[in-house]
Amino acid sequence: MSLARVSNHYWFDPFRELVPFVNEIFHEAPQTPTWAPPVDVREKPDGIELVADLPGMVQADIGLSVEKGILTIRAERKPPVKDEDA
């Protein structure tokens, strides 16, 4: 007579090491909603030209920053103000 031990764990699980890695990546993802606009980048003789498609935005509402070699474009679209008197 032989005894067999039953286990719910498989001896080969290709995702066993992948799951913690994926969880670590998504845990560090930004918690605020982000959107990346379509951007064209062109190299010019005197620098780089960046053209971003930001419909409905005015230049004063757009912020650019460079930190540690990363260019960040920030803009916030606010909902239109409703006129209560109309």
Side-chain angles (χ1 to χ4, degrees), residues 6-82:
V6 178
S7 174
N8 292 335
H9 302 288
Y10 294 105
W11 67 273
F12 176 70
D13 184 2
F15 300 106
R16 181 179 44 206
E17 294 180 17
L18 182 63
V19 170
F21 178 70
V22 171
N23 288 340
E24 181 180 332
I25 290 173
F26 287 108
H27 178 71
E28 294 179 9
Q31 299 300 317
T32 57
T34 58
W35 173 74
V39 176
D40 288 333
V41 180
R42 295 182 190 102
E43 189 172 351
K44 300 280 185 162
D46 58 340
I48 295 176
E49 178 182 66
L50 182 123
V51 179
D53 187 14
L54 300 168
M57 302 298 299
V58 294
Q59 189 172 354
D61 294 336
I62 301 169
L64 297 175
S65 64
V66 178
E67 187 174 320
K68 296 182 181 177
I70 298 173
L71 172 66
T72 302
I73 303 171
R74 292 191 185 273
E76 182 177 352
R77 182 175 292 147
K78 297 176 182 161
V81 179
K82 294 182 180 179

